[in-house]
Amino acid sequence: MAISCSSFKVLVFFCCALFFLCVADEVNKKDDNTKTIRDDDVKVKIHGASGKIKIARAEKDDKDDDKDGKDDDKDDKDSKDSDTPDKTDDVDVEVKDSVEKKDSDSDKDDKDTDDDKDDDDFEDTNDDLLTFELDDIKEKDDNDNDVADDKHSVDSLKDVQFQFSPVQTNDRSFGIPAINVNLTGRLEDTDANVQIMVYLFRQAGSITFGNETFQVQPGTVKFNIKISEWDFCENNTPGCNSVGQFLDLSMRVKSKGTPSEVDDDDDRKKAVCKDDKDDGKDKDDNDDDDDDDDDDCPHLYDMGGDSEMLLNKGVETDDGNYSPMPQGYPKVERDGDASRFVFRIPKFNKNVLLDPSVTPGEKKVKSGSAASWLQVNFVVAMLLQLVAIFAAQ
């Protein structure tokens, strides 16, 4: 039977509409200013604009299991010769050195770890998605007042353009195999620098940060935040109303649930605070002795969806000096549909380092997800068939 001109036009319209929908979807997913790193079933997408970090669980890739196992065997052998650095700033120097030596392996790493096919897991429709973004920085005096000068605050970091380092797939800065990528940005209004150093751990292990010791698991993501060259208000500083004593750094967080702190007697907290170095030979409870067995433990927060976040009670200033935050910090604030962690950083001379980390919960497989996609395809197929039948009449 002959197909009428109008019927043919309808058929062409439907086909073109489907084609452009698919193209538009792929265009929306494309973002050249991002890095995606992945190991096993955890993946991290980092945005160069603003430094936003998205963390998601993915379905385990069975093809990579054997490969990862071989790498882990090699890593176990290598770890015997690796010592955990005593000071975090030493770690930062080692990372910088490794980043500067960009070779063919680094180029390969960059190519292998970018994964555009998994962008659906980073969409806001994923209830289990974890999102972290530095929000603002405010300089405070002893009375909790802003020092009231534009050059001593940053209202938003959304416009900061970060530069990526090459991805390192076998970083051992902390004595534990990890995938690492660093971001470096400039805070134009304050002439200060900010760095974000992201580590995706491939094995479990113990980390010491100042007086705090904690456990990380395969899939734990640690992102060190380093601020340097911040010029604090002094008595005679032009434009300053008071002397600056603290920096309040805010970080916006989106998670399945509102962050709530886990009690010390909770089994989840005990598991995180377990010290692999414990030899049972503590002589006293002095936190400053040479034995790490009595180290403090960070705050642990339940983020919903079985995800957990560790926030240290202190910071490292001026290349390794541990300083506790004031009582009540870090603290959680509600901000619309998101939450904010506020870190109160004691005054420093050269730089300061914060050390948050997060372990995403196990991925919950939605039984209807695959079926829903099949239903969509079925509906599209039926529509096209109806158009064809209509055109044939």
Side-chain angles (χ1 to χ4, degrees):
M1 294 183 181
I3 300 176
S4 67
C5 181
S6 59
S7 298
F8 180 75
K9 288 181 179 178
V10 172
L11 180 61
V12 171
F13 172 79
F14 272 98
C15 292
C16 291
L18 288 173
F19 172 77
F20 284 113
L21 281 173
C22 294
V23 171
D25 184 57
E26 290 302 316
V27 170
N28 289 333
K29 288 182 180 180
K30 186 65 175 175
D31 185 351
D32 291 335
N33 196 26
T34 64
K35 284 284 184 185
T36 301
I37 58 177
R38 173 175 175 169
D39 186 65
D40 201 359
D41 62 341
V42 173
K43 52 189 178 180
V44 184
K45 186 172 186 177
I46 309 157
H47 294 254
S50 81
K52 179 186 290 187
I53 298 172
K54 294 181 176 180
I55 303 172
R57 283 277 184 183
E59 292 184 7
K60 201 168 185 177
D61 190 347
D62 294 334
K63 287 184 177 181
D64 293 337
D65 286 347
D66 294 336
K67 181 180 178 181
D68 289 343
K70 292 178 182 179
D71 291 341
D72 290 345
D73 291 340
K74 181 179 179 181
D75 292 339
D76 290 338
K77 181 178 179 182
D78 293 341
S79 63
K80 295 179 182 179
D81 300 328
S82 299
D83 295 326
T84 304
D86 292 328
K87 295 185 178 181
T88 307
D89 200 68
D90 293 339
V91 173
D92 183 42
V93 172
E94 290 176 11
V95 170
K96 285 183 179 178
D97 290 342
S98 64
V99 167
E100 289 172 357
K101 297 175 182 177
K102 184 172 182 179
D103 52 20
S104 58
D105 291 336
S106 297
D107 294 337
K108 182 180 179 181
D109 292 343
D110 284 342
K111 182 178 180 180
D112 292 343
T113 51
D114 284 328
D115 192 352
D116 293 335
K117 295 183 295 183
D118 296 330
D119 275 359
D120 288 345
D121 286 325
F122 295 116
E123 296 295 331
D124 291 336
T125 52
N126 179 7
D127 293 337
D128 296 318
L129 178 67
L130 295 162
T131 303
F132 305 91
E133 185 175 16
L134 298 183
D135 194 13
D136 59 40
I137 305 174
K138 297 182 182 300
E139 186 175 331
K140 300 280 187 175
D141 62 18
D142 274 333
N143 296 318
D144 198 27
N145 297 318
D146 293 346
V147 294
D149 185 272
D150 291 341
K151 280 192 169 293
H152 295 270
S153 65
V154 179
D155 293 333
S156 174
L157 279 79
K158 288 185 178 294
D159 294 331
V160 177
Q161 296 295 323
F162 288 90
Q163 301 298 317
F164 286 104
S165 74
V167 176
Q168 305 297 320
T169 58
N170 195 25
D171 180 89
R172 288 185 170 275
S173 297
F174 299 92
I176 307 170
I179 302 172
N180 161 249
V181 63
N182 301 330
L183 298 85
T184 303
R186 184 79 173 170
L187 304 177
E188 298 296 340
D189 291 339
T190 65
D191 293 329
N193 296 320
V194 60
Q195 292 175 275
I196 304 174
M197 293 153 274
V198 182
Y199 300 87
L200 170 56
F201 290 106
R202 304 174 63 194
Q203 293 181 8
S206 181
I207 290 180
T208 296
F209 179 81
N211 296 338
E212 304 175 61
T213 298
F214 54 95
Q215 297 293 307
V216 296
Q217 304 301 322
T220 295
V221 180
K222 189 161 97 75
F223 42 101
N224 287 2
I225 303 166
K226 186 173 185 178
I227 300 173
S228 57
E229 298 184 25
W230 186 279
D231 188 15
F232 280 87
C233 277
E234 301 295 348
N235 284 318
N236 299 320
T237 304
C240 292
N241 297 330
S242 54
V243 177
Q245 296 294 342
F246 304 101
L247 281 187
D248 278 6
L249 171 66
S250 298
M251 179 172 63
R252 284 178 58 87
V253 178
K254 285 188 178 182
S255 59
K256 189 168 187 177
T258 301
S260 59
E261 187 166 4
V262 177
D263 294 334
D264 289 342
D265 57 357
D266 193 298
D267 288 341
R268 292 173 295 174
K269 182 71 175 284
K270 292 178 180 178
V272 169
C273 297
K274 178 184 176 183
D275 191 350
D276 290 340
K277 304 172 186 176
D278 192 354
D279 54 16
K281 297 180 181 179
D282 283 341
K283 295 180 180 180
D284 52 47
D285 294 329
N286 181 11
D287 288 344
D288 295 325
D289 61 19
D290 293 332
D291 195 339
D292 288 330
D293 301 342
D294 55 11
D295 279 0
D296 205 349
C297 185
H299 299 286
L300 178 66
Y301 286 86
D302 183 344
M303 307 295 290
D306 297 328
S307 296
E308 298 174 349
M309 186 166 190
L310 278 172
L311 297 181
N312 293 98
K313 298 177 180 178
V315 298
E316 285 196 353
T317 62
D318 302 330
D319 301 329
N321 298 318
Y322 181 82
S323 299
M325 294 186 207
Q327 186 69 26
Y329 289 89
K331 68 178 180 179
V332 183
E333 297 178 346
R334 195 63 187 167
D335 185 12
D337 62 344
S339 300
R340 296 202 318 167
F341 284 116
V342 182
F343 305 88
R344 176 150 289 185
I345 302 168
K347 192 173 186 176
F348 56 89
N349 292 320
K350 293 188 291 185
N351 54 63
V352 65
L353 188 71
L354 294 87
D355 189 44
S357 59
V358 61
T359 302
E362 294 296 327
K363 185 178 179 66
K364 302 294 189 298
V365 179
K366 297 181 181 179
S367 58
S369 58
S372 298
W373 176 242
L374 290 176
Q375 289 173 357
V376 171
N377 284 337
F378 177 76
V379 170
V380 172
M382 289 298 297
L383 286 173
L384 290 176
Q385 187 173 2
L386 288 172
V387 171
I389 293 175
F390 174 76
Q393 293 179 346

